[in-house]
Amino acid sequence: MKAESLAAFDLYMNSFIKKYKIKGASLAVCKDEKLVYAKGYGYANVETQEMVKPSHLFRIASVSKLITAVAVMKLYEEGKLDLDDHVFGPGGILPYTKFPEYTDVRVEKITIRHLLNHTAGWSRKHGDPMFKQLYIAKKYKTQPPASLDLIIYYTLQRKLDYDPGKVYSYSNLGYAILGEIISLKSGMEYEDYVTFNILKPLGIHDIHIGKSFYHQNLSNEVRYYENPGSSVCLAFDGSGVYVPRSYGGNCIELMGAAGGWVASAPGLAKFLTAIDGKNNQPDILKQKTIKMMTNNSIAGKDLFGWRGTDKTGTSWRTGTLSGSTSLVMKQSNGITWVVLLNTSLPGKIIHNKIAGTMFSAQKMIKNWPEINLFPTDLVAEL
């Protein structure tokens, strides 16, 4: 789906995927909350020569945290939780009977707010516990993969690295715990709450929790490709089989609220228009709540779900997993866009390269079309 006046996106995206040897990509662009451009580039599956279409699903990795943060804020608006509710200890949200033992009493100070803005007090100097499923299962002599409860228990046996609320330190575990909180406070499974209370009311039907192995790929999901020469690893399920990290190295279902969602680019773009505080598309949260998610004074860096924001009001969220790269941006000038890749890229600057590509394309556009390609049912129309 494209308009001729937006051909600059083709020029720059084709150049980008050729330069960085991207197997496949999907792009969606909104102007003033209207979908004006959606196109696939390259291969959804190199082996079968299937080309990417806008309807293809991609892993969105840590962009999933934005979905989780919105779900938390929805429950906040419904009066089902407060951001300063404590998570652990007597009176905490997580059942004390499950986690009665912890090395550091300071965990009793951890709140939902701290999980949202990555200030709960954990660091990753001992590794990210969400990616240590085999190790943790072996340590506690249980069948792999380690459950989230066991990962939480393992983490609570270490002292916190910082006082809660004081230091930003990125935490996948914090968002996985938020998924559990959403389930407990809503009385629904995490994915069900998001699906029935956020996505479906917006007419979005192509965002789901993904699966871990290639044979489990969802219908219309792309295949994932790692850097040439990437090493294999033991499968997370304890089978003893060596697998590509993108297909069995990590449990995508366990990542869930922290990084397990798959989406089409147009579906994700529609979600972004529902949390921008503007009026052309219905928002899923109140404007005051949306502003809370991008209040720099709260976290100083990662905010609530977003990766960053600037003084103009532009906000962005990055995502990276083996075999996939994603970047979404809500610009202050009314332009919102989503770029999803099915290829791993080395280095931490690739998101800057994606952003630079999109900014360069926008500078070439003289006239934005007066169209809206958002259908009532994204899956049916794409």
Side-chain angles (χ1 to χ4, degrees):
M1 296 186 296
K2 61 180 182 176
E4 291 304 319
S5 63
L6 304 183
F9 286 118
D10 271 5
L11 175 67
Y12 280 90
M13 282 297 295
N14 282 319
S15 176
F16 175 83
I17 64 173
K18 181 178 180 180
K19 180 177 181 179
Y20 292 102
K21 298 180 172 61
I22 308 299
K23 297 293 191 294
S26 188
L27 168 68
V29 182
C30 297
K31 180 71 167 70
D32 298 328
E33 300 189 290
K34 299 175 182 178
L35 183 65
V36 295
Y37 201 83
K39 187 176 179 182
Y41 300 86
Y43 293 101
N45 188 314
V46 174
E47 288 71 20
T48 64
Q49 296 290 287
E50 181 182 5
M51 307 301 290
V52 176
K53 297 178 181 178
S55 54
H56 273 108
L57 304 178
F58 289 68
R59 289 176 182 168
I60 64 173
S62 283
V63 176
S64 302
K65 293 180 175 67
L66 187 55
I67 295 174
T68 299
V70 169
V72 170
M73 300 310 286
K74 186 69 173 174
L75 287 168
Y76 166 77
E77 287 188 347
E78 294 170 352
K80 294 180 179 178
L81 57 78
D82 188 87
L83 300 187
D84 295 316
D85 286 343
H86 290 90
V87 177
F88 300 105
I93 298 171
L94 296 189
Y96 184 58
T97 52
K98 268 190 179 183
F99 307 107
E101 301 175 23
Y102 35 85
T103 298
D104 194 331
V105 71
R106 290 180 296 172
V107 301
E108 295 180 1
K109 297 180 180 180
I110 295 173
T111 66
I112 292 175
R113 188 187 303 274
H114 298 147
L115 298 179
L116 282 168
N117 64 27
H118 299 273
T119 63
W122 298 303
S123 78
R124 292 191 287 179
K125 67 181 181 182
H126 299 293
D128 188 328
M130 293 301 294
F131 297 118
K132 297 174 70 174
Q133 297 146 24
L134 278 176
Y135 169 81
I136 294 172
K138 182 178 180 180
K139 178 179 177 66
Y140 292 104
K141 299 179 180 178
T142 188
Q143 178 64 34
S147 66
L148 180 57
D149 282 353
L150 189 59
I151 292 172
I152 295 171
Y153 176 83
Y154 162 81
T155 305
L156 293 179
Q157 305 318 301
R158 291 187 178 275
K159 293 193 69 174
L160 291 176
D161 296 288
Y162 314 107
D163 288 336
K166 298 297 184 182
V167 177
Y168 168 91
S169 183
Y170 193 84
S171 176
N172 284 307
L173 177 62
Y175 268 75
I177 293 172
L178 285 172
E180 287 294 293
I181 290 172
I182 290 166
S183 180
L184 287 168
K185 290 295 186 178
S186 68
M188 304 173 68
E189 293 296 322
Y190 162 74
E191 183 179 10
D192 289 342
Y193 179 79
V194 172
T195 299
F196 292 107
N197 291 274
I198 295 172
L199 301 178
K200 284 197 172 182
L202 295 171
I204 300 172
H205 307 285
D206 55 354
I207 300 181
H208 317 275
I209 295 290
K211 302 292 183 181
S212 300
F213 294 99
Y214 177 63
H215 71 271
Q216 298 174 311
N217 261 17
L218 299 178
S219 176
N220 221 28
E221 185 175 358
V222 298
R223 185 163 190 161
Y224 303 105
Y225 298 90
E226 301 179 33
N227 299 319
S230 295
S231 60
V232 295
C233 62
L234 282 169
F236 73 86
D237 60 3
S239 62
V241 176
Y242 282 88
V243 296
R245 194 168 297 279
S246 56
Y247 282 117
N250 299 306
C251 182
I252 300 300
E253 299 94 324
L254 184 66
M255 288 296 293
W261 289 88
V262 299
S264 74
L268 199 51
K270 183 69 177 290
F271 170 76
L272 293 174
T273 67
I275 55 169
D276 63 359
K278 300 186 184 301
N279 299 322
N280 289 327
Q281 297 284 345
D283 285 333
I284 200 68
L285 297 174
K286 298 175 183 176
Q287 190 170 61
K288 180 180 179 181
T289 308
I290 291 170
K291 288 182 178 179
M292 288 175 65
M293 296 178 65
T294 55
N295 184 351
N296 266 319
S297 65
I298 295 175
K301 189 170 182 179
D302 207 39
L303 320 170
F304 290 177
W306 294 100
R307 184 62 169 167
T309 190
D310 65 19
K311 293 180 180 179
T312 71
T314 292
S315 302
W316 58 92
R317 176 70 250 187
T318 60
T320 305
L321 279 172
S322 294
S324 55
T325 305
S326 53
L327 177 61
V328 304
M329 187 169 293
K330 175 175 65 73
Q331 297 176 204
S332 56
N333 61 1
I335 300 171
T336 297
W337 50 265
V338 173
V339 174
L340 306 177
L341 312 178
N342 67 348
T343 310
S344 290
L345 293 167
K348 296 183 178 180
I349 64 170
I350 191 59
H351 292 108
N352 291 338
K353 299 296 184 183
I354 295 172
T357 297
M358 292 300 295
F359 294 150
S360 295
Q362 289 176 46
K363 289 179 181 178
M364 299 287 290
I365 297 169
K366 306 302 181 183
N367 298 297
W368 291 84
E370 291 295 329
I371 58 174
N372 187 4
L373 300 173
F374 276 135
T376 302
D377 188 320
L378 291 168
V379 174
E381 294 295 326
L382 295 176

